[in-house]
Amino acid sequence: MQQIDVLLGLQWGDEGKGKIVDVLTPKYDLVARFQGGPNAGHTLEFEGKKYVLRSIPSGIFQGNKINIIGNGVVLDPILFKQEAEALMESGHDIRKSLYISRKAHLILPTHRLLDQAREAAKGAGKIGTTGKGIGPTYTDKISRNGLRVGDIEFDIKAKYDKIKSDHFKILAALHYVQDTAAMDKEWFDSIEFLKSFRFIDSEFFINDALRNDKAILAEGAQGTLLDIDFGSYPFVTSSNTVTAGACTGLGVSPKRIGKVFGIFKAYCTRVGSGPFPTELHDATGEEMCRKGNEFGSVTGRKRRCGWLDLVALRYSVMLNGVTDLIMMKSDVLDMFEEINVCTSYIIDGKETDQFPFSAEMDITPVYKIFDGWQEDMTKVEKEEEFPAAFKTYLNFIEKYLGVSISVVSVGPDRKQTILRKGFMSEK
């Protein structure tokens, strides 16, 4: 029986997962999203065009590959309609290749209002949510009050009104009640559009595909350090972004997990609030942001930038059982004379190489300094062309983490991807 491979982010999201899924998809028959919602934007660039996917798997551009929105995803019908129509207008007929799990939960307009109201109520303690209603939708799911895609096949109006009424009571207490008539109409119009897609029991569909020796890639959203259990709580997302989330988010057994592709940037970024030990508040950080175009693909928010944190990265590798590392945006560091890498923390006067219980603690990063390569990496076409200083950087990271870096991205385009050491040759 075939195994399911997993691709996910190892930092605070925005690692470049969309591009790599698009690069890997030719090796697979099926690509499935297993968690998250439209707060996660995966950006892909090829043939001179740029696409941003929020809920639709990144394998959608690869011919007749099947793409699945899994049960662990929360889906906003309004945003999904906008995203799907934009793809269709660009010439991609996604109705034939995109399937949606009946057990995926639906985001209601009042979920978005609740998200915004709760964030506003936190004042200076806000966590930096995108306000897309992700957290409140997962809250309703866990409290057994959610509305699922499969409910569309029945009369959902009564369920919708009940949930909306419950939400209005909370919004009233938060002094955030708004007229939702226009949003309600748009939501139900979008539900009609959603009905034009194929709904499936994804757990059966995926396991049947595995039994029929189909190659499957599970695509994660956000990043490991935003995981609800293991991330920098409370500045985290509302789902399990780690490998284990693929099991619950798609309905597959842990023993069916094969390769785990862990993606990280050659430096670190974070959007919104929350701890960031290696963050740079100087001209170097600003230059990283400019060169890396570090602005959210969905929100447009500026990302905070800093040096690579190997303490946090090794923690993520451990949690996910990473078999192959994929380094993104190596070219962003081209211009620096020196490059710092965090190898340990000093907390309460003691040095440690373990990620702490609370990343809000007073952490001083300990750095190892490397010579910069100061060459244009975007022109590199094969591993042999890597600058010597860059090879030193790669080798140190591999030794520290105990996992090989199998792929190096040297630019945003699909073609600017260097596969190393016979990567995926057996697929």
Side-chain angles (χ1 to χ4, degrees):
M1 184 173 176
Q2 184 67 268
Q3 289 185 302
I4 183 169
D5 294 342
V6 181
L7 182 144
L8 40 72
L10 299 178
Q11 296 163 315
W12 282 286
D14 309 309
E15 298 93 352
K17 295 177 288 294
K19 172 189 172 178
I20 296 301
V21 174
D22 182 60
V23 168
L24 295 184
T25 300
K27 304 289 185 179
Y28 294 90
D29 302 300
L30 190 155
V31 179
R33 273 279 303 271
F34 63 84
Q35 50 74 223
N39 55 338
H42 290 178
T43 303
L44 300 88
E45 294 185 34
F46 54 90
E47 298 174 358
K49 294 182 179 180
K50 181 177 179 178
Y51 302 88
V52 178
L53 300 178
R54 293 176 292 195
S55 297
I56 296 171
S58 302
I60 202 71
F61 300 109
Q62 295 284 354
N64 60 352
K65 308 289 182 179
I66 294 174
N67 291 262
I68 293 176
I69 295 176
N71 60 276
V73 174
V74 291
L75 189 67
D76 185 326
I78 295 173
L79 295 180
F80 172 80
K81 181 174 182 287
Q82 295 172 1
E83 182 179 348
E85 286 180 337
L87 287 174
M88 292 174 182
E89 289 172 6
S90 67
H92 299 91
D93 184 7
I94 65 174
R95 282 194 176 93
K96 294 179 181 178
S97 58
L98 180 63
Y99 303 164
I100 304 171
S101 171
R102 288 187 176 90
K103 291 184 173 68
H105 278 246
L106 294 168
I107 300 172
L108 279 60
T110 45
H111 282 132
R112 282 184 277 151
L113 293 180
L114 284 169
D115 207 357
Q116 295 160 16
R118 287 168 175 163
E119 186 77 340
K122 287 176 177 146
K126 64 182 181 179
I127 63 173
T129 174
T130 59
K132 302 291 185 183
I134 312 299
T137 305
Y138 277 115
T139 297
D140 276 353
K141 175 180 179 177
I142 297 302
S143 63
R144 303 177 295 279
N145 293 306
L147 195 60
R148 300 184 293 176
V149 168
D151 291 319
I152 294 172
E153 298 171 314
F154 304 94
D155 181 10
I156 65 169
K157 186 64 167 60
K159 284 188 175 182
Y160 181 92
D161 288 342
K162 172 64 169 61
I163 296 171
K164 176 182 171 181
S165 176
D166 291 342
H167 290 171
F168 265 40
K169 294 174 185 176
I170 303 171
L171 289 167
L174 293 169
H175 308 291
Y176 209 84
V177 174
Q178 296 184 25
D179 183 3
T180 63
M183 291 187 286
D184 292 341
K185 183 182 184 306
E186 186 178 13
W187 194 87
F188 278 101
D189 287 344
S190 300
I191 287 294
E192 291 303 311
F193 176 81
L194 196 59
K195 287 179 180 179
S196 65
F197 288 82
R198 180 178 172 183
F199 301 160
I200 62 171
D201 296 313
S202 55
E203 63 274 27
F204 289 108
F205 189 96
I206 290 173
N207 279 286
D208 285 344
L210 290 171
R211 277 189 288 272
N212 286 295
D213 207 32
K214 299 296 184 182
I216 301 176
L217 181 65
E219 176 185 8
Q222 288 103 16
T224 297
L225 299 178
L226 294 175
D227 184 90
I228 185 65
D229 285 298
F230 300 105
S232 49
Y233 192 88
F235 301 94
V236 293
T237 193
S238 301
S239 60
N240 285 116
T241 60
V242 294
T243 301
C247 297
T248 56
L250 295 175
V252 295
S253 164
K255 67 181 180 181
R256 297 302 176 205
I257 300 297
K259 285 184 173 292
V260 178
F261 304 116
I263 303 183
F264 70 102
K265 284 177 180 171
Y267 51 103
C268 282
T269 64
R270 179 163 196 164
V271 67
S273 305
F276 186 172
T278 63
E279 182 176 8
L280 294 169
H281 301 279
D282 56 12
T284 298
E286 288 296 322
E287 184 63 13
M288 281 184 189
C289 182
R290 185 197 66 78
K291 181 79 184 299
N293 191 29
E294 294 297 353
F295 299 89
S297 54
V298 170
T299 64
R301 290 187 296 177
K302 182 179 179 180
R303 297 181 186 130
R304 300 149 62 192
C305 296
W307 296 117
L308 183 63
D309 185 341
L310 289 184
V311 176
L313 195 54
R314 185 159 62 184
Y315 174 70
S316 295
V317 168
M318 174 190 72
L319 291 173
N320 291 297
V322 173
T323 61
D324 294 81
L325 286 165
I326 299 174
M327 179 190 280
M328 307 299 293
K329 291 197 169 184
S330 306
D331 54 297
V332 174
L333 300 183
D334 285 355
M335 81 294 290
F336 295 113
E337 292 183 11
E338 291 185 342
I339 294 170
N340 291 7
V341 177
C342 173
T343 56
S344 61
Y345 299 151
I346 294 177
I347 304 174
D348 294 331
K350 297 180 180 179
E351 188 168 354
T352 179
D353 62 359
Q354 292 192 356
F355 197 74
F357 162 74
S358 173
E360 291 186 271
M361 300 171 70
D362 185 12
I363 297 173
T364 300
V366 177
Y367 290 108
K368 180 176 176 60
I369 301 175
F370 292 85
D371 291 332
W373 40 94
Q374 296 188 285
E375 295 183 34
D376 184 3
M377 291 282 287
T378 62
K379 302 295 195 301
V380 171
E381 296 183 350
K382 52 188 177 180
E383 182 177 355
E384 291 74 17
E385 297 173 1
F386 286 161
F390 181 67
K391 290 180 181 178
T392 299
Y393 187 65
L394 285 183
N395 292 338
F396 181 82
I397 295 169
E398 288 181 318
K399 184 176 181 180
Y400 188 100
L401 299 176
V403 182
S404 296
I405 298 174
S406 300
V407 180
V408 176
S409 176
V410 294
D413 195 273
R414 179 191 285 167
K415 296 178 181 178
Q416 294 173 302
T417 310
I418 312 299
L419 307 183
R420 306 176 72 210
K421 305 171 183 176
F423 177 65
M424 296 291 285
S425 60
E426 73 279 11
K427 283 285 182 182

